Amino acid sequence: MRKNIVAGNWKMNKNLQEGLALAKELDATLKGKKVNCDVIIGTPFIHLAKVVEAIDTHKIGVAAQNCADKASGAYTGEVSAEMVASTGAKYVILGHSERRAYYHETPEILKQKVILALANGLTPIFCIGEVLAEREAEKHFEIVKSQLQKSLFELSSEDFSKLILAYEPVWAIGTGKTATPEQAQEMHAFIRKTIAEKYGDEVADNTSILYGGSANASNAKELFANPDVDGGLIGGASLSVDKFMPIIEAF
Ligand code: PGA
């Protein structure tokens, strides 16, 4: 059965002390509370090891926001999937539109990152989504399908089953312009159908597909009520417990 998941993506926010304080506050808030979804926080690399030590990782999973497309070696400044895994982090956000746009991560590079993440026991949270011009040209389904095909559809069915997907329309990220629940459901159902065509109904039914893009406390319930929306990847609203908790509790 697929899981409901609320994952925070801190992006390049919070220094180490601030990040640790936020993780500990979330941990304390969740202590003794029963929630109806898995909770994950995606921190900068340098926070990972300390955050893992500071919180109950059975209650809050920890994610990196990227990893290298090479296993090891002379790649100054890069962080490998193995290094991420060695911190105790269990997840890695890959293919975020900011990585694709600002750091020129191609579908081929992302394919390598996914392979290395899986080889090191990490669960990729793989992001797909169209830009505004693509939606306006009614190419959004085609774009999302090709993102899936180019980076993920060479995986075995066993490996594909380990992924979490996040549909993030780029025009909704950090803009305050959320996709409507209907737009989200329509795309999530399309993604699930596309997975079913490749890997069969069982794999498709078991894949968690999160929505991301200006999700917040006031729209999360409506978004999550859709049958194919299995949670959210939350940027801005994951940076404080006050804003993040109501999204977790929207399930
Ligand atoms: P946002 O970011 O919630 O701030 O729009 C979402 C994301 O980029 O993952």
Side-chain angles (χ1 to χ4, degrees), residues 54 61 67 87 110 117 120 135 186 201 212 237 247:
C67 71
T87 68
L110 293 171
N120 285 284
R135 180 162 280 263
E186 185 187 32
D201 286 340
I247 303 177

Side-chain angles (χ1 to χ4, degrees), residues 17 28 60 62 75 92 116 147 165 187 211 219 230 232 235 247 250:
Q17 289 73 33
I60 306 173
V62 179
Y75 301 102
V92 58
L116 286 164
Q147 289 171 337
L165 296 183
M187 182 58 88
Y211 167 81
N219 56 33
D230 307 310
I247 303 177

Side-chain angles (χ1 to χ4, degrees), residues 9 11 96-98 168 172-175 212-215 233-237:
N9 174 11
K11 309 192 179 183
H96 193 281
S97 61
E98 288 150 18
E168 299 205 302
I173 296 176
T175 57
S214 299
L233 182 56
I234 316 297

Side-chain angles (χ1 to χ4, degrees), residues 145-205:
K145 185 173 187 171
S146 108
Q147 289 171 337
L148 288 167
Q149 286 171 331
K150 287 183 180 158
S151 296
L152 304 178
F153 277 8
E154 281 170 35
L155 294 173
S156 67
S157 151
E158 193 191 337
D159 276 345
F160 188 90
S161 306
K162 296 173 184 157
L163 305 177
I164 297 167
L165 296 183
Y167 169 59
E168 299 205 302
V170 180
W171 46 271
I173 296 176
T175 57
K177 207 171 149 197
T178 321
T180 64
E182 294 74 26
Q183 285 172 322
Q185 169 56 27
E186 185 187 32
M187 182 58 88
H188 284 227
F190 172 78
I191 293 168
R192 205 176 302 285
K193 182 172 88 70
T194 306
I195 299 169
E197 283 163 7
K198 170 75 186 163
Y199 291 105
D201 286 340
E202 194 182 330
V203 171
D205 282 346

Side-chain angles (χ1 to χ4, degrees), residues 12-247:
M12 197 173 73
N13 293 292
K14 308 280 178 195
N15 67 27
L16 181 58
Q17 289 73 33
E18 291 163 348
L20 264 179
L22 172 57
K24 284 182 189 167
E25 189 189 343
L26 183 65
D27 184 63
T29 309
L30 284 169
K31 201 155 257 146
K33 249 200 183 119
K34 187 169 157 19
V35 294
N36 297 315
C37 61
D38 286 4
V39 178
I40 299 170
I41 51 177
T43 83
F45 286 130
I46 59 147
H47 299 50
L48 292 172
K50 288 232 176 204
V51 165
V52 164
E53 268 172 31
I55 64 175
D56 177 358
T57 52
H58 299 290
K59 287 214 103 158
I60 306 173
V62 179
Q65 299 170 17
N66 184 24
C67 71
D69 61 334
K70 305 284 193 304
S72 68
Y75 301 102
T76 302
E78 288 295 291
V79 175
S80 71
E82 189 200 348
M83 292 172 189
V84 170
S86 74
T87 68
K90 299 279 187 238
Y91 302 86
V92 58
I93 299 169
L94 291 175
H96 193 281
S97 61
E98 288 150 18
R99 301 291 322 167
R100 292 178 193 257
Y102 308 149
Y103 302 98
H104 314 292
E105 295 192 358
T106 62
E108 181 56 36
I109 290 173
L110 293 171
K111 186 162 92 181
Q112 295 310 318
K113 293 187 178 202
V114 168
I115 289 169
L116 286 164
L118 289 169
N120 285 284
L122 295 171
T123 299
I125 302 172
F126 193 82
C127 306
I128 49 182
E130 80 285 356
V131 300
L132 185 59
E134 291 162 343
R135 180 162 280 263
E136 284 175 348
E138 293 184 16
K139 289 204 155 94
H140 44 298
F141 294 118
E142 195 184 307
I143 292 293
V144 163
K145 185 173 187 171
S146 108
Q147 289 171 337
L148 288 167
Q149 286 171 331
K150 287 183 180 158
S151 296
L152 304 178
F153 277 8
E154 281 170 35
L155 294 173
S156 67
S157 151
E158 193 191 337
D159 276 345
F160 188 90
S161 306
K162 296 173 184 157
L163 305 177
I164 297 167
L165 296 183
Y167 169 59
E168 299 205 302
V170 180
W171 46 271
I173 296 176
T175 57
K177 207 171 149 197
T178 321
T180 64
E182 294 74 26
Q183 285 172 322
Q185 169 56 27
E186 185 187 32
M187 182 58 88
H188 284 227
F190 172 78
I191 293 168
R192 205 176 302 285
K193 182 172 88 70
T194 306
I195 299 169
E197 283 163 7
K198 170 75 186 163
Y199 291 105
D201 286 340
E202 194 182 330
V203 171
D205 282 346
N206 287 328
T207 304
S208 293
I209 309 174
L210 316 184
Y211 167 81
S214 299
N216 58 39
S218 33
N219 56 33
K221 235 192 179 81
E222 251 195 312
L223 285 163
F224 298 171
N226 290 288
D228 288 295
V229 178
D230 307 310
L233 182 56
I234 316 297
S238 71
L239 293 173
S240 82
V241 173
D242 286 354
K243 292 195 175 129
F244 196 44
M245 245 348 253
I247 303 177

